[in-house]
Amino acid sequence: MELEFFASCLSGLEQALAAELKSFGIERVRPLGGGVAFFCDAEAAMRACLWSRLASRVMLVLGRVNAGDADLLYAGVYDIAWEDVLSDDATMAVRAHGTNDELRNTRFTALKVKDAIADRMRSRRDARPNVDTSAPRASIDVRIRERRATISLDFSGEALNHRTYLAPDDKEDAALACSLSATALVLGGWGDMLQKGSAFMDPACRDGVMLVEAAWMACDRAPGLDRKRWGFTGWSQFDRAAWEALLEEAHERFEAGLARIGGEAAVSDRDARPEADRVRFVGATTSSPLISRARNHVRHAGVRAIVSVELCDAQEMAGFIRDHKALAHAHMTMVASNFDARARADAPAHVQADEGAFVVACSAMRDGSRFVALDAQDVRARFGNRPSQSSKVGRGRVEALVEVFDEKPVGSTRIEIPDSAGGAPHKVEVFEAATEQFAARLRKVFKERRKWASRAGVSCYRIYDSDLPDYAVAIDWYTGANDAKGNDYLHIAEYAPPASVDADKARRRFKDVLAVAPLVCGVRPDHVFSKTRIREKGGGQYRNAGQRSYVTSVLENGHSFEVDLAGRLDTGLFLDHRVTRELVGSKAEGKRFLNLFAYTGTASVYAAAGGARSTVTVDLSQTYLDWAERNMAANGFSGADHKFEKADVMRWITDARRSGRRFDLVFVDPPTFSNSKAMGKRTWDVQRDHVELLIGVSRLLSEEGEAVFSCNLRSFKPHVEDLAKYGVEIEDISASTIPEDFARTPKIHKCYLVRRAEA
């Protein structure tokens, strides 16, 4: 009996999915937006569920009903013969999508549909089906468009891209990576290349998903072969014998395909490490942790005997390919990688390293090979020629670009960088030839700064700060401590280029910085973190796109601090205030210490370590206060003598003055500008408001007390005369607080001592 089905897919894949369904023997197919409608019997639909690499779900369309309002929807759903749809033991869940003027809440829509089904089943079978929202035997799909609702049974049960080789701790986007990788292979023509005995390489394989998908296609392995849950098992007309025959056929095809590629030994010992003469699928990565994950994926996929995953970076790639038997002797090779650029926004240096490795690998292949880049940032520019095919798939968050090249790279620029440990020089793919000059400058200043840091006992410091105007970045070095001991990190901040500089050229230069800096400094690419600084109105205020946090520990003068190298523009430790913090610590013994605009409380740590009798840490942000409390606790400072108070600083000062609170030492480091919602309608501007601030601070000082006032507005000028009118003395000590690693930028901050004038 011919039934109506709908297979959903990523947008842009409708034609490819229609062709795939036809290859399963399904003749009546009709591509639509977001999927393909098709007509066939139940066995053919089960085959599509088992074998489709492109479909997201397969739906059995049960009917289309009036969705003009809730009552009409209920009546239409009730009229469907659910007793002929649901098996006796089927548990049920309802998913609703879409809204209209009368049905505006999908949860309410799902509830009305569930009630209609339950009432119908009770009237026909005298029993309501049990609801199981986590793992139902039957999933009912409701899609509302204007005043019509399409009611379907989800034949797939769960998304078809949830491959069985994925591990429980894989991120939620891993399933999407499976379908996108399969998509890239299909669009790249991997199926045709298989007929010619091609080899396959992923030079930036990360977790091995692309490798597994390529190997499964080559071995004729059904993507759904080992899945335990299917939606059609809750269908009353489910034919178990037909399904088991489909599974048996799929197992036989996989065994035959594996034997065809790797020989009989591959079938009998498919979990063994592959022998050189059986390998056809090669992956390379620069990350040891990712090698383990990739190999686990390969093993769980049952193709370990024919897939090899090795540690290799761009510098070793050409030799690696030359010495690898499968790649060196292959008539042609497909080189394909999923760069997943947006999901890896927190590791841009790693993306640059991966793209560089990809281009080197493509350059080393024989003519006639094919190259496929999925969701890359700049592969086209690195190739120097246009792709033979460029396809966008998906929308919004899951939109990705598949680029297929039939010619090897012709336009890449390669520079040579000496190895930081004295080994062989590194050859790096860059966009700008001038980057060689930047690399030489960075190498020189890094060598000098490292010697200084070693003598001074400094473990976190600035290496480079726009030394060359065309490479306007600040590069900071962080040495990991505690659990991160042995790790080194780079934090690279790009200054927004002036309008006179071509934006694309500046972007390419920044990407070159990300490619070169880890090699010059000997830091792993995944330990390089970058952000873009965009100067806001008021000066000195910056913003950057949000990224996932990367929290680690560092030491400064023996004090432990938590830093976030990725999630925020500033890491939690202002390196230019190192000397200022030392000054606070040297003045703190026996003092009542107050830290205003405390940020992460680093000055409070120095004061407590310097012997302060008590500390009070004040900030408007609870996030920063919690961070400050962790920093204090990590250094052994907790208890009643150390208080953390959440408040607007200006209001806090007023309340503290009224209550008679006094302090012997105050550290004040306000932001340049703030319009935080927590401040209400009031804004903060350090140039405009510093007089009011410092008058208030002076009134909190004990008779011999003093305050250390700092700010980062480079054009800041204190209103000395206005302060003097209110009995406030201010002494500029900025020059003595600039650390040696910031000597090139002496205006990085201003610093003053503030006291009450003698009567």
Side-chain angles (χ1 to χ4, degrees):
M1 180 177 64
E2 192 170 73
L3 303 168
E4 180 183 355
F5 294 90
F6 182 80
S8 60
C9 66
L10 294 172
S11 62
L13 281 183
E14 294 87 354
Q15 295 295 334
L17 176 56
E20 182 186 58
L21 292 171
K22 286 184 178 180
S23 73
F24 302 149
I26 300 171
E27 296 181 355
R28 291 184 61 194
V29 299
R30 184 158 58 100
L32 302 170
V36 178
F38 63 101
F39 301 83
C40 62
D41 60 21
E43 182 178 345
M46 290 191 295
R47 181 184 295 275
C49 288
L50 180 61
W51 283 94
S52 180
R53 303 180 194 279
L54 302 180
S56 301
R57 292 180 184 271
V58 173
M59 305 287 182
L60 168 61
V61 179
L62 302 173
R64 295 173 178 83
V65 302
N66 191 329
D69 59 35
D71 292 337
L72 290 171
L73 175 66
Y74 175 94
V77 173
Y78 185 91
D79 286 342
I80 295 174
W82 292 101
E83 63 277 11
D84 296 332
V85 174
L86 302 177
S87 63
D88 292 340
D89 58 350
T91 55
M92 178 185 71
V94 179
R95 296 192 310 265
H97 311 270
T99 60
N100 60 26
D101 290 342
E102 297 296 327
L103 298 168
R104 302 177 183 178
N105 185 295
T106 55
R107 293 182 64 182
F108 173 76
T109 298
L111 182 62
K112 287 302 281 187
V113 170
K114 179 185 72 67
D115 288 345
I117 297 171
D119 291 347
R120 169 82 183 207
M121 292 294 285
R122 184 171 55 185
S123 69
R124 296 299 191 272
R125 292 185 183 171
D126 199 26
R128 294 168 61 100
N130 293 323
V131 173
D132 181 352
T133 57
S134 59
R137 293 276 312 282
S139 294
I140 309 303
D141 187 86
V142 182
R143 294 188 180 265
I144 292 179
R145 185 174 182 180
E146 297 178 351
R147 296 177 63 84
R148 301 292 291 174
T150 301
I151 314 297
S152 305
L153 172 68
D154 185 352
F155 245 43
S156 43
E158 61 181 0
L160 294 175
N161 57 12
H162 284 278
R163 306 290 203 248
T164 55
Y165 61 80
L166 295 178
D169 62 342
D170 275 315
K171 295 178 180 177
E172 59 184 37
D173 284 343
L176 176 62
C178 296
S179 58
L180 286 174
S181 294
T183 293
L185 293 169
V186 170
L187 296 180
W190 177 231
D192 293 336
M193 293 185 71
L194 284 172
Q195 308 304 317
K196 302 174 184 178
S198 301
F200 182 90
M201 184 184 189
D202 183 349
C205 74
R206 291 181 57 77
D207 54 8
V209 166
M210 184 77 79
L211 277 173
V212 170
E213 294 297 321
W216 271 13
M217 288 178 67
C219 293
D220 201 18
R221 208 276 194 190
L225 185 55
D226 292 331
R227 280 179 50 152
K228 304 301 181 186
R229 190 166 73 86
W230 295 96
F232 48 70
T233 61
W235 186 39
S236 64
Q237 300 172 54
F238 169 52
D239 186 340
R240 184 169 297 278
W243 173 240
E244 290 178 352
L246 287 172
L247 289 177
E248 184 177 357
E249 177 199 14
H251 278 291
E252 290 174 354
R253 287 173 59 174
F254 178 42
E255 300 295 333
L258 195 59
R260 182 177 62 253
I261 292 175
E264 294 298 333
V267 177
S268 61
D269 198 10
R270 63 178 60 171
D271 287 338
R273 185 173 178 80
E275 297 178 10
D277 59 350
R278 294 208 303 261
V279 170
R280 285 267 303 281
F281 303 86
V282 182
T285 180
T286 59
S287 170
S288 297
L290 284 176
I291 279 187
S292 177
R293 182 172 290 276
R295 287 176 176 170
N296 281 335
H297 284 159
V298 169
R299 185 175 64 255
H300 291 145
V303 291
R304 184 72 178 96
I306 60 170
V307 177
S308 172
V309 182
E310 306 299 336
L311 190 67
C312 179
D313 60 19
Q315 285 67 51
E316 303 164 324
M317 189 63 67
F320 175 82
I321 292 170
R322 184 181 59 250
D323 297 337
H324 201 289
K325 185 175 180 180
L327 300 176
H329 299 294
H331 175 64
M332 66 177 66
T333 301
M334 173 175 278
V335 181
S337 294
N338 178 6
F339 295 98
D340 200 11
R342 283 160 299 176
R344 296 168 60 195
D346 53 347
H350 210 169
V351 173
Q352 297 307 306
D354 283 349
E355 288 193 1
F358 180 83
V359 172
V360 172
C362 295
S363 299
M365 292 300 168
R366 292 189 178 189
D367 292 340
S369 295
R370 187 172 296 168
F371 317 110
V372 181
L374 171 60
D375 205 19
Q377 293 178 331
D378 293 291
V379 161
R380 182 184 299 197
R382 293 180 187 274
F383 259 69
N385 51 38
R386 296 178 63 84
S388 59
Q389 178 184 339
S390 181
S391 306
K392 282 187 178 180
V393 296
R395 286 196 183 96
R397 188 184 68 84
V398 299
E399 182 178 282
L401 178 67
V402 179
E403 294 177 294
V404 181
F405 298 84
D406 291 329
E407 301 292 335
K408 294 196 294 187
V410 296
S412 60
T413 300
R414 189 173 297 183
I415 64 174
E416 194 170 276
I417 297 175
D419 183 68
S420 61
H426 302 276
K427 294 180 179 179
V428 188
E429 300 286 330
V430 295
F431 294 104
E432 301 280 334
T435 299
E436 190 165 16
Q437 183 182 1
F438 163 76
R441 175 65 183 178
L442 179 60
R443 183 168 180 262
K444 179 178 182 294
V445 296
F446 176 57
K447 186 176 180 180
E448 295 171 352
R449 195 56 46 78
R450 201 169 194 179
K451 288 180 180 178
W452 162 80
S454 179
R455 292 193 306 269
V458 176
S459 60
C460 302
Y461 49 91
R462 177 146 296 179
I463 298 171
Y464 173 100
D465 198 345
S466 297
D467 294 42
L468 301 179
D470 287 344
Y471 292 83
V473 299
I475 304 178
D476 296 328
W477 174 280
Y478 288 82
T479 301
N482 303 325
D483 291 343
K485 188 175 182 179
N487 290 338
D488 297 318
Y489 307 94
L490 290 181
H491 182 270
I492 304 177
E494 179 191 25
Y495 297 107
S500 59
V501 175
D502 178 76
D504 286 338
K505 195 164 191 173
R507 183 179 63 86
R508 291 194 297 268
R509 286 173 177 164
F510 185 56
K511 290 180 182 296
D512 282 353
V513 169
L514 296 177
V516 165
L519 294 173
V520 171
C521 300
V523 175
R524 287 167 37 183
D526 56 338
H527 281 177
V528 178
F529 302 90
S530 71
K531 295 153 191 176
T532 300
R533 295 172 177 258
I534 300 175
R535 190 176 295 275
E536 297 283 13
K537 201 171 180 181
Q541 185 79 359
Y542 300 97
R543 62 179 170 85
N544 76 304
Q547 299 175 347
R548 287 175 291 192
S549 292
Y550 186 100
V551 177
T552 190
S553 295
V554 298
L555 290 177
E556 184 181 89
N557 285 323
H559 310 316
S560 178
F561 294 111
E562 175 187 301
V563 294
D564 184 349
L565 296 171
R568 299 171 182 275
L569 179 60
D570 294 305
T571 65
L573 184 67
F574 294 132
L575 300 186
D576 64 296
H577 279 174
R578 187 187 314 114
V579 175
T580 308
R581 287 188 287 271
E582 293 171 358
L583 175 65
V584 168
S586 69
K587 292 176 173 288
E589 186 172 3
K591 304 289 181 64
R592 295 166 293 178
F593 174 73
L594 171 64
N595 189 357
L596 297 174
F597 302 100
Y599 191 40
T600 60
T602 53
S604 298
V605 171
Y606 269 83
R613 188 197 323 172
S614 62
T615 67
V616 177
T617 302
V618 182
D619 200 278
L620 185 57
S621 166
Q622 188 62 51
T623 297
Y624 288 141
L625 277 181
D626 293 341
W627 195 336
E629 193 164 0
R630 291 195 300 273
N631 277 336
M632 289 285 280
N635 291 279
F637 305 120
S638 58
D641 291 335
H642 304 290
K643 294 181 168 51
F644 304 86
E645 301 185 17
K646 180 179 183 296
D648 173 85
V649 167
M650 299 301 287
R651 293 185 184 131
W652 188 93
I653 289 173
T654 300
D655 293 341
R657 288 173 60 184
R658 288 172 178 168
S659 61
R661 299 175 77 170
R662 292 292 180 269
F663 299 90
D664 308 305
L665 179 63
V666 180
F667 179 61
V668 193
D669 184 25
T672 297
F673 178 82
S674 178
N675 57 358
S676 170
K677 291 181 181 179
M679 297 171 61
K681 296 182 179 180
R682 190 167 57 84
T683 62
W684 165 264
D685 184 300
V686 71
Q687 185 64 66
R688 181 191 68 199
D689 300 326
H690 75 276
V691 172
E692 180 186 357
L693 169 67
L694 295 181
I695 291 171
V697 168
S698 71
R699 302 307 188 257
L700 297 177
L701 292 174
S702 60
E703 187 173 341
E704 300 296 326
E706 63 181 347
V708 178
F709 167 63
S710 179
C711 76
N712 288 88
L713 178 61
R714 299 190 180 197
S715 61
F716 177 78
K717 292 182 180 179
H719 295 159
V720 177
E721 294 181 359
D722 291 343
L723 289 167
K725 290 178 184 177
Y726 291 90
V728 181
E729 292 182 349
I730 185 166
E731 175 188 353
D732 190 344
I733 60 169
S734 301
S736 65
T737 65
I738 303 299
E740 184 170 334
D741 47 323
F742 287 86
R744 289 193 75 257
T745 51
K747 294 183 179 180
I748 189 72
H749 70 242
K750 301 292 182 68
C751 192
Y752 306 85
L753 289 180
V754 178
R755 304 181 184 92
R756 299 174 69 170
E758 295 182 6

